Amino acid sequence: MESWNTALPARLPVQPDRLKLYDTASQSVRHPGNLAEASLYVCGITPYDATHLGHANTYVTFDLLGRYWRACGLPVTYVQNVTDVDDPLLERATATGVDWRDLAADQTELFRSDMEALNVLAPDHFVGATETVDWVVESVEALVANGTAYAVPGEDGGPDGDIYFSIDAAEAATHWTLGSVGRLSAEDMAAVFPDRGGDPDRPGKRHPLDPLLWRVARPGEPTWDGRSLGTGRPGWHIECSAIARRLLPAPFTVQGGGSDLRFPHHEFSAAHATAADGQPLAQAFVHAGMVGLDGEKMSKSLGNLVLVSRLRSQGIEPVAIRTALLANHYRNDWEWTQDLLNRSVDRVARWRSALELEEPSDGSTLLAAAHRALSHDLDAPSALVEVDRWADEALARGTARRTRTPSETDRDRPDVRTAVSGLLGLNL
């Protein structure tokens, strides 16, 4: 699957790697590992209702992480999937009378254009679930072979052979235990599982929370050759597990996504990978908060989505949207408001006014200060305050534009535009 086109940031002076991130699995703020290189997997969209601000918040968050690592001089490998076949997508296609493939293609293209507008660096691998069915089949066959997956008889006259992952078998065979990644209580897991693709009441399952790995063919549904599994299609969690294991180290550095993916998605993606080869999926699991509107979580089911494309069509600059997103700490749940957007528009205008006063402007001090702020669990709000501080000082120095001739020293230092664009992704 084609990704989008975002120019890599200009090379910045190498900054020290002081990164501390909140790892959901260990419930601690820590460095994700002693790195010679970094690897990142961020779960992608199911392509309908793209791109709402909850999506944008997540992908801008992890774009910031990738930019931080690059500023440390680390090579970064970034993988993102697209769940371009799944029950919610098929249901939306049926409800709207659109072929599911056309809906997925249209919404994925819209997502690409929004990511490019928001200056989110393109992943090295942008992979659709429909492109990786063979990888999933291989993974599920391995789990069946080692006893951590099993077939369930059909129900209500349906076909036999749906394959499920066995929580009990995996806990007995590996270091993974239920809840060790998502860190939800048993009560909370039971409560959210049905709303997040689970089927706790399916007859024949060994544990109510056992997740689906392979769904055998039903009339009217898209299917693929599953070899020994039979004709069918992949479950959700195994998709990301199979893609990550094929394209990233085991374990890779950071698994990212929204906080609603803690369970069941990241819980079981990690479980599937560990059950297959004994290795953890990732060194750290990092989750972005939810974005609300008018006192409620922004969600497809509530119909209260604010779309990036709609804001853009209203003439809102993407840099102002990105600034508004970065004004909230990534782990917090927060609300989108018109006031937040207005303040971000004004903020960008003030930064640009400061840039008009002196060209080129030495951005070394600002770069170091903003990078230091990001070291503390990607504290983007504090990094933006550093840009504000620079702008206040520049504006206080005078109101007339001053142009100076770059010195030899200047050539080794980024100007402010380059520093802010490279590290924070804000094109001023």
Side-chain angles (χ1 to χ4, degrees), residues 9-145:
R11 187 179 297 275
L12 298 171
V14 174
Q15 304 297 305
D17 180 8
R18 308 185 186 96
L19 181 63
K20 298 290 181 65
L21 288 173
Y22 184 83
D23 170 33
T24 300
S26 66
Q27 297 189 298
S28 63
V29 178
R30 62 177 184 81
H31 194 285
N34 295 321
L35 305 176
E37 58 184 11
S39 44
L40 174 65
Y41 189 106
V42 181
C43 295
I45 61 166
T46 300
Y48 65 102
D49 290 333
T51 307
H52 61 72
L53 287 177
H55 291 144
N57 186 54
T58 293
Y59 301 115
V60 167
T61 290
F62 292 101
D63 180 62
L64 200 63
L65 175 59
R67 289 172 182 275
Y68 178 94
W69 277 330
R70 290 178 186 278
C72 294
L74 296 172
V76 180
T77 303
Y78 176 23
V79 175
Q80 186 180 136
N81 70 304
V82 177
T83 304
D84 56 352
V85 61
D86 198 23
D87 288 343
L89 173 66
L90 299 177
E91 291 164 5
R92 175 60 64 87
T94 298
T96 56
V98 177
D99 186 281
W100 65 272
R101 288 158 292 204
D102 294 336
L103 176 61
D106 177 71
Q107 291 287 290
T108 302
E109 180 56 33
L110 180 58
F111 175 76
R112 290 188 190 98
S113 67
D114 287 336
M115 291 298 99
E116 188 170 339
L118 290 172
N119 201 29
V120 172
L121 298 176
D124 299 283
H125 304 279
F126 189 55
V127 188
T130 56
E131 299 174 312
T132 61
V133 174
D134 287 347
W135 302 354
V136 170
V137 170
E138 182 179 320
S139 297
V140 176
E141 286 181 328
L143 295 175
V144 171

Side-chain angles (χ1 to χ4, degrees), residues 28 35 71 79 84 88 133 184 190 205 245 315 323 360 382 385 403 410:
S28 63
L35 305 176
V79 175
D84 56 352
V133 174
L184 268 65
K205 287 174 59 173
R245 276 298 191 252
T323 299
S382 292
V385 168
T403 303
D410 285 331

